[in-house]
C-alpha cells in the first residue's frame, strides 16, 4: 500500500514504524475472514483491513473522529488477523499507534475518561481489587443467579514449596491474578519444583503494563515496565534462567518490553534482555527432558476442552503446544470448533465493550462445550474469569491440572 504521511510524522520512530507496516499490507482482505468483530458486525471498518485504512488516513492527515475511535475501540487486539495475513502485517503494533493518535486528536468525553481512569486505578491496585473481590464473594450467595455468575468463587493457593533448587526462574505475580486465582502461580511453583526448578518472585514487580498500554496510557505503561525491570534485574544478575509468566496476556506484553522501550537509552538493553527471558510455562516444560516430566500426571479430570488464549496462539505464536503436551500427559482433549477465535475477554474489552464481549463469550462457551468435557482449561486469567461467568463447567488454568498437590484423576 502506498503511503503519504503527515510532515510531522516523517522520519520519526512512530512514522517510520507505521509506514513500514502500512506498506506491507496489500489490501487483500484475507484477514477479515478470521476477525471476530468483522464476523459479528459485517462492517468493513470493524475488520482489520478497514481499521488499517482508517489509521492510514489519520496518519496522512485526515482528522480523527469519534467514529474512528469507535471502530478502533471495538478491536479486541486479538491479533487473529496477524496469524491469517499472508503478508506478515504487524497489525498489533499499528493499532497501538492508531489508538494513541485518535486519543490525541479526538479526546473522549470527560465522563468516559473518568470511568476509564477509575477502572484502571481499581485493576492496578492489588489491595483495593482484593478487598472489592472478597467483599463481593462474601455477599455472592445472597445475589440473584445472574449476578452470582459474574463473581468468581474464591480459590485457595495451598502450601508453597521452598526455593530449594539451584535452578531458579522468576515468576510474575501480576496485578489481578493473585486475588482472582492464587491457585495458578501456586500450582506453577509446585509443578516447577517437581521438575527441579524453583520459582521466585520479586516483591516490587507488579502489573506487566498491559492494562495501561491497552488503555492508551503509554507513559504510565513505560513507567510500569521500567519498575518491573528494576525489580527483576538483581535476580537476573544472580542467574535466574527465565521469567515465567503464567498469564499469556502478560507474557505477550513482557516479550514486547524490548520493542516498547527501544527508544529509552537507559532501559533499552535491559528491556531487550527481559523480553528474551520471558517464557510461557509451556515453553519451559516442552524443553525439559521427558524423564523430568514423569512426575506430572493428570489431576482433577482427564476429559478436558482447552481454550487457547489469543495472546498465546496469535500473540506469542505458541499455537497447539499446550494441547500437545496435555495430550502427551494422558488428557483427552475434546474437539473445539473455531479455536482460533477470541472469547471476548481481551484485557479490559469485556468491561468497555460488554455487548460484543458477551456475544463472543456465548459463542466460545458453546464451542468449548461441544465435546462434553468435564472441565475447561486455559492459559490466561482474563479468559478464565470471563468464560467462568458463562458456563456451569469449572474453568481452570492448565497448570492446576498437573499440580502435584491435587488428587490424581480417576
Ligand atoms: S492485513 Fe494482511 S490479510 Fe489483511 S488486507 Fe492487509 S495484507 Fe491482506
Ligand atoms: S486484532 Fe482481532 S478484532 Fe482486531 S482487527 Fe485483528 S482480528 Fe479483528
Amino acid at each position: 500500500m502506498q503511503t503519504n504521511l503527515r510532515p510531522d510524522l516523517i522520519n520519526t520512530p512512530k512514522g517510520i514504524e507505521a509506514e513500514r507496516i502500512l506498506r506491507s499490507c496489500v489490501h487483500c482482505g484475507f484477514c477479515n475472514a478470521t476477525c471476530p468483530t468483522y464476523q459479528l458486525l459485517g462492517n468493513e471498518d470493524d475488520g482489520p483491513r478497514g481499521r488499517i485504512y482508517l489509521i492510514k488516513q489519520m496518519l496522512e492527515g485526515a482528522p480523527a473522529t469519534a467514529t474512528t475511535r469507535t471502530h478502533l475501540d471495538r478491536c479486541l487486539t486479538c491479533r487473529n488477523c496477524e496469524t491469517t495475513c499472508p503478508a506478515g502485517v504487524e497489525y498489533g503494533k499499528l493499532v497501538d499507534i492508531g489508538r494513541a493518535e485518535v486519543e490525541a486528536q479526538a479526546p473522549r468525553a470527560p465522563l468516559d475518561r473518568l470511568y476509564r481512569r477509575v477502572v484502571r486505578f481499581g485493576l492496578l491496585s492489588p489491595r483495593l481489587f482484593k478487598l472489592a473481590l472478597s467483599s463481593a464473594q462474601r455477599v455472592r450467595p445472597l445475589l440473584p443467579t445472574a449476578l452470582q455468575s459474574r463473581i468468581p468463587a474464591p480459590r485457595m493457593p495451598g502450601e508453597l514449596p521452598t526455593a530449594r533448587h539451584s535452578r531458579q526462574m522468576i515468576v510474575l505475580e501480576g496485578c489481578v491474578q493473585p486475588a482472582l486465582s492464587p491457585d495458578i502461580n501456586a500450582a506453577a511453583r509446585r509443578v516447577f519444583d517437581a521438575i527441579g526448578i524453583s520459582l521466585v518472585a520479586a516483591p516490587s514487580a507488579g502489573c506487566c503494563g498491559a492494562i495501561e498500554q491497552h488503555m492508551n496510557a503509554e507513559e504510565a505503561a513505560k513507567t510500569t515496565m521500567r519498575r518491573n525491570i528494576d525489580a527483576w534485574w538483581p535476580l537476573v544478575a544472580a542467574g535466574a534462567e527465565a521469567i515465567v509468566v503464567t498469564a499469556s496476556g502478560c507474557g505477550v506484553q513482557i516479550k514486547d518490553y524490548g520493542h516498547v522501550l527501544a527508544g529509552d537509552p537507559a532501559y533499552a538493553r535491559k528491556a531487550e534482555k527481559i523480553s528474551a527471558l520471558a517464557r510461557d510455562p509451556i515453553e519451559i516444560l516442552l524443553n525439559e527432558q521427558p524423564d523430568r516430566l514423569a512426575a506430572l500426571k493428570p489431576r482433577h479430570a482427564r476429559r478436558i476442552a482447552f481454550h487457547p488464549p489469543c495472546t498465546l496462539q496469535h500473540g506469542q505464536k505458541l499455537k497447539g503446544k499446550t494441547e500437545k503436551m496435555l495430550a502427551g500427559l494422558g488428557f483427552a482433549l475434546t474437539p473445539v470448533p473455531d479455536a482460533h477465535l477470541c472469547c471476548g475477554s481481551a484485557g479490559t474489552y469485556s468491561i468497555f465493550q460488554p455487548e460484543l464481549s458477551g456475544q463472543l463469550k456465548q459463542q466460545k462457551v458453546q464451542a468449548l462445550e461441544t465435546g462434553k468435557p468435564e472441565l475447561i482449561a486455559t492459559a490466561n486469567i482474563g479468559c478464565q474469569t470471563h468464560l467462568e461467568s458463562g458456563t456451569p463447567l469449572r474453568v481452570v488454568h492448565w497448570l492446576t491440572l498437573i499440580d502435584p498437590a491435587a488428587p490424581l484423576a480417576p
Side-chain angles (χ1 to χ4, degrees):
M1 205 190 307
Q2 282 207 326
T3 52
N4 186 16
L5 295 194
R6 286 190 329 246
D8 64 297
L9 288 170
I10 292 172
N11 288 333
T12 64
K14 188 161 91 170
I16 292 167
E17 181 166 61
E19 191 154 56
R20 177 181 59 79
I21 301 170
L22 286 169
R23 287 189 174 182
S24 64
C25 175
V26 295
H27 223 59
C28 62
F30 287 166
C31 49
N32 279 357
T34 55
C35 170
T37 55
Y38 182 77
Q39 286 184 3
L40 285 180
L41 301 164
N43 178 349
E44 175 73 11
D45 288 345
D46 286 315
R49 183 174 60 178
R51 290 181 178 125
I52 289 171
Y53 200 68
L54 287 174
I55 296 168
K56 176 180 184 291
Q57 285 177 315
M58 263 192 302
L59 300 180
E60 289 184 335
T65 63
T67 311
T68 322
R69 195 179 53 238
T70 300
H71 293 304
L72 296 193
D73 277 355
R74 284 186 190 147
C75 170
L76 295 138
T77 330
C78 66
R79 293 169 64 182
N80 202 343
C81 46
E82 284 190 14
T83 302
T84 312
C85 175
V89 173
E90 292 174 86
Y91 172 86
K93 290 191 174 112
L94 185 67
V95 80
D96 276 350
I97 295 172
R99 283 180 172 146
E101 189 68 24
V102 82
E103 210 72 35
Q105 281 193 41
R108 294 172 194 276
L111 259 185
D112 190 10
R113 285 210 300 274
L114 178 69
Y115 176 47
R116 294 171 80 86
R117 219 170 263 172
V118 170
V119 169
R120 201 174 105 200
F121 182 73
L123 293 176
L124 293 179
S125 313
R127 266 195 231 144
L128 188 65
F129 184 80
K130 195 171 179 182
L131 182 71
L133 179 68
S134 56
S135 310
Q137 284 168 335
R138 267 196 294 275
V139 297
R140 191 173 183 260
L142 310 172
L143 299 174
T145 321
L147 267 182
Q148 277 186 24
S149 67
R150 300 183 75 92
I151 303 167
R155 299 182 186 220
M156 295 301 149
E159 209 168 309
L160 300 180
T162 53
R164 62 191 171 118
H165 300 295
S166 57
R167 289 188 68 191
Q168 301 218 331
M169 295 182 183
I170 300 166
V171 65
L172 169 77
E173 294 292 3
C175 49
V176 296
Q177 184 171 298
L180 284 169
S181 205
D183 55 324
I184 299 176
N185 273 8
R189 286 173 190 260
R190 290 186 287 264
V191 167
F192 277 67
D193 180 71
I195 62 166
I197 300 169
S198 289
L199 294 185
V200 291
S204 49
C207 176
C208 63
I211 290 176
E212 287 152 325
Q213 179 132 341
H214 293 162
M215 293 178 77
N216 302 310
E218 267 182 290
E219 283 314 309
K222 284 181 183 170
T223 304
T224 296
M225 293 179 207
R226 292 185 193 105
R227 182 207 59 206
N228 285 347
I229 293 171
D230 288 341
W232 291 328
W233 205 250
L235 293 169
V236 171
E241 288 177 41
I243 301 170
V244 178
V245 193
T246 55
S248 60
C250 307
V252 77
Q253 178 74 15
I254 296 170
K255 287 181 177 183
D256 205 33
Y257 277 19
H259 169 252
V260 178
L261 294 175
D264 180 335
Y267 279 86
R269 191 185 56 82
K270 287 182 177 178
E272 208 174 305
K273 170 84 175 166
I274 291 294
S275 289
L277 286 173
R279 297 278 186 285
D280 187 85
I282 194 64
E283 293 178 271
I284 309 279
L285 296 183
L286 279 180
N287 275 333
E288 292 298 316
Q289 292 301 320
D291 61 311
R292 293 185 81 91
L293 305 182
L296 307 178
K297 306 252 186 308
R299 314 271 163 169
H300 300 302
R302 281 182 191 274
R303 194 175 163 76
I304 61 167
F306 183 72
H307 165 60
C310 299
T311 42
L312 190 71
Q313 58 172 330
H314 307 304
Q316 298 193 50
K317 316 284 184 223
L318 295 172
K319 188 175 182 171
K321 300 212 182 281
T322 315
E323 295 90 321
K324 185 177 160 204
M325 168 149 204
L326 290 172
L329 289 174
F331 290 94
L333 271 74
T334 61
V336 181
D338 293 329
H340 60 287
L341 289 180
C342 180
C343 68
S345 169
T348 52
Y349 194 88
S350 56
I351 301 172
F352 297 119
Q353 299 288 336
E355 276 177 30
L356 290 174
S357 167
Q359 287 177 49
L360 290 170
K361 176 168 67 181
Q362 219 176 354
Q363 290 179 0
K364 181 57 72 181
V365 164
Q366 206 176 358
L368 287 162
E369 290 177 349
T370 305
K372 310 222 173 314
E374 291 170 68
L375 56 75
I376 295 168
T378 187
N380 188 48
I381 182 64
C383 308
Q384 177 181 305
T385 313
H386 182 63
L387 291 172
E388 209 172 25
S389 66
T391 173
L393 292 176
R394 276 178 63 212
V395 186
V396 299
H397 192 289
W398 65 271
L399 278 169
T400 66
L401 295 177
I402 52 171
D403 179 356
L408 281 170

